[in-house]
Amino acid sequence: MPEIAVYPGTFDPITNGHIDIIRRASGLFEKVIVLVIENREKSPLFSMDERVKFASFATKKFKGVVVDSYKGLLVEYAKIKEIKTIIRGLRAVSDFDYEFQLTQLNRKLYPAVETIFIMPGEEYFFLSSSSVKEIAAYGGNVSGFVPEIVAKGLSGIRTTKRGKGL
Ligand code: ADP
């Protein structure tokens, strides 16, 4: 059985839903790498450094969990590190189509890799980074949805130009 798995994502920003997946994964694997990916399509609100900082702070309590970042294809990272297990979170039905395509593509690019899906606790089924950013942009309270360090980071963006146009 593989002892190491990678949990990739944009994590813009990391939410309590992501953390629930990380907690569950850390109970299954000796080492879990939370991999912050650049994501050219989503033009993230937070920089790579900020996203890594938030993820590192929010996951430091979990044994065997480390945070890394990569500006390239996930499968390239996995090949270089010889990782054969990818973890993804699965929420409501809407995630399925995208995750299904991604899994097939990754399998084509790296046949040895397997994707494992973990469902979060039901309180996280409808939680997403984009909804959290939307709430924060309108001055709503996000403290129940994200770690404290992220809530602070989001309150900062409302007062800067980055808070506009979300
Ligand atoms: P990506 O751009 O790669 O989808 P995200 O940061 O949006 O990056 O998500 C990373 C992974 O975490 C995805 O598999 C996504 O479905 C999952 N995820 C996001 N939010 C939640 C949540 N609230 N509960 C469980 N899984 C989630």
Side-chain angles (χ1 to χ4, degrees):
M1 271 300 286
E3 292 170 353
I4 178 163
V6 61
Y7 177 39
T10 314
F11 302 111
D12 182 45
I14 194 163
T15 69
N16 291 346
H18 293 127
I19 291 165
D20 188 64
I21 299 295
I22 294 164
R23 181 184 63 77
R24 291 169 194 277
S26 75
L28 297 172
F29 296 92
E30 265 175 34
K31 187 173 173 186
V32 175
I33 302 175
V34 177
L35 189 68
V36 180
I37 298 273
E38 191 173 34
N39 203 329
R40 292 149 60 100
E41 275 187 7
K42 284 192 179 170
S43 46
L45 174 67
F46 291 104
S47 71
M48 190 87 140
D49 284 351
E50 287 170 313
R51 287 181 279 143
V52 167
K53 186 181 85 180
F54 292 157
S56 305
F57 202 84
T59 60
K60 65 178 183 205
K61 58 181 177 243
F62 300 118
K63 204 172 148 273
V65 173
V66 294
V67 177
D68 198 3
S69 62
Y70 193 62
K71 291 186 179 173
L73 275 181
L74 164 66
V75 284
E76 294 304 326
Y77 179 93
K79 272 183 199 168
I80 294 164
K81 300 263 179 182
E82 295 182 8
I83 297 169
K84 296 194 179 75
T85 309
I86 296 171
I87 291 167
R88 295 285 287 176
L90 208 54
R91 287 164 294 182
V93 189
S94 53
D95 272 343
F96 184 79
D97 197 36
Y98 175 68
E99 295 293 341
F100 186 76
Q101 287 182 35
L102 202 64
T103 301
Q104 298 305 323
L105 277 177
N106 286 337
R107 196 174 262 174
K108 281 245 163 7
L109 294 168
Y110 183 18
V113 85
E114 284 300 345
T115 304
I116 294 188
F117 292 96
I118 298 179
M119 286 191 202
E122 59 188 12
E123 63 270 46
Y124 306 116
F125 275 2
F126 300 100
L127 179 57
S128 68
S129 299
S130 32
S131 56
V132 162
K133 284 183 281 189
E134 189 79 5
I135 296 167
Y138 288 101
N141 181 4
V142 294
S143 59
F145 306 130
V146 292
E148 205 183 324
I149 189 170
V150 174
K152 279 191 188 135
L154 281 165
S155 69
I157 59 140
R158 284 211 313 275
T159 54
T160 70
K161 61 178 175 7
R162 290 197 299 170
K164 292 183 186 138
L166 283 175

